[in-house]
């Protein structure tokens, strides 16, 4: 029987983005595991972070098993490497059938690799451009 814990979250990548998400879920009382291959990355975690840290490669299926992916209700692939994020997201969704998977993607041309997967994609470049457009619209309207 593969029972999923509702609030068991794995975050691959302790970038500022990953650390911020980890802190938010930790403060909400969720069980959070952050995986990063660089131990120095964990310095970005908020001092109140109460989850677990693994200094490992999250693209390794055995590391994901060690992190508890079989119980995870959410996996966030938040590394700085699109290829790693794609691999982590596909493993989470296709092998372990994690309910919610979110992946960061910089290169929009690689979006096709997520085709037919129910993975939510965050595109930092697109989000930045949307914010830039808002700022420029305010400027043109005299509000900038």
């Amino acid at each position: 029987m593969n029972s999923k814990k509702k609030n068991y979250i794995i975050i691959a990548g302790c970038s500022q983005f990953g650390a911020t998400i980890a802190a938010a879920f930790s403060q909400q009382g969720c069980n959070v595991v952050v995986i990063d291959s660089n131990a120095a990355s964990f310095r970005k975690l908020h001092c109140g972070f109460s989850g677990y840290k693994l200094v490992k490669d999250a693209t390794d299926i055995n590391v994901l098993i060690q992190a508890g992916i079989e119980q995870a209700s959410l996996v966030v692939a938040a590394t700085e490497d699109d290829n790693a994020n794609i691999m982590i997201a596909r493993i989470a969704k296709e092998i372990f059938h994690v309910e919610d998977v979110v992946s960061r993607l910089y290169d929009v041309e690689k979006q096709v690799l997520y085709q037919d997967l129910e993975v939510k994609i965050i595109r930092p470049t697109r989000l930045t451009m949307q914010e830039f457009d808002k700022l420029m619209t305010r400027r043109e309207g005299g509000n900038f």
Side-chain angles (χ1 to χ4, degrees):
M1 179 181 223
N2 187 9
S3 63
K4 304 250 182 198
K5 290 184 181 177
K6 178 121 177 103
N7 294 318
Y8 194 90
I9 298 160
I10 295 175
I11 300 171
C14 197
S15 61
Q16 194 61 51
F17 172 63
T20 302
I21 292 169
F25 280 120
S26 177
Q27 289 174 351
Q28 292 174 16
C30 298
N31 296 307
V32 182
V33 178
V34 180
I35 308 168
D36 199 291
S37 58
N38 181 357
S41 295
F42 295 117
R43 67 176 162 56
K44 297 172 192 148
L45 286 169
H46 184 270
C47 61
F49 175 73
S50 63
Y52 298 97
K53 301 175 270 191
L54 285 177
V55 182
K56 306 260 183 177
D57 179 358
T59 63
D60 182 333
I61 196 167
N62 292 318
V63 169
L64 292 171
I65 291 169
Q66 180 184 357
I69 195 167
E70 293 163 322
Q71 292 110 39
S73 58
L74 170 64
V75 170
V76 180
T79 75
E80 299 289 340
D81 182 333
D82 281 347
N83 294 331
N85 290 341
I86 291 165
M87 182 178 289
I88 293 161
R90 292 188 72 95
I91 290 170
K93 204 55 153 160
E94 293 181 329
I95 296 174
F96 293 100
H97 309 288
V98 175
E99 184 179 336
D100 287 315
V101 178
V102 178
S103 183
R104 181 162 59 175
L105 180 68
Y106 291 101
D107 184 351
V108 294
E109 291 181 12
K110 293 182 179 181
Q111 185 171 333
V112 69
L113 298 172
Y114 289 98
Q115 193 170 357
D116 300 326
L117 286 179
E118 293 180 14
V119 171
K120 296 168 184 79
I121 302 170
I122 295 175
R123 298 169 195 89
T125 304
R126 178 183 284 176
L127 294 172
T128 302
M129 285 306 299
Q130 288 172 348
E131 190 62 25
F132 181 78
D133 286 345
K134 286 180 195 175
L135 292 171
M136 290 295 99
T137 300
R138 284 188 214 139
R139 182 174 185 251
E140 292 169 5
N143 296 329
F144 190 72

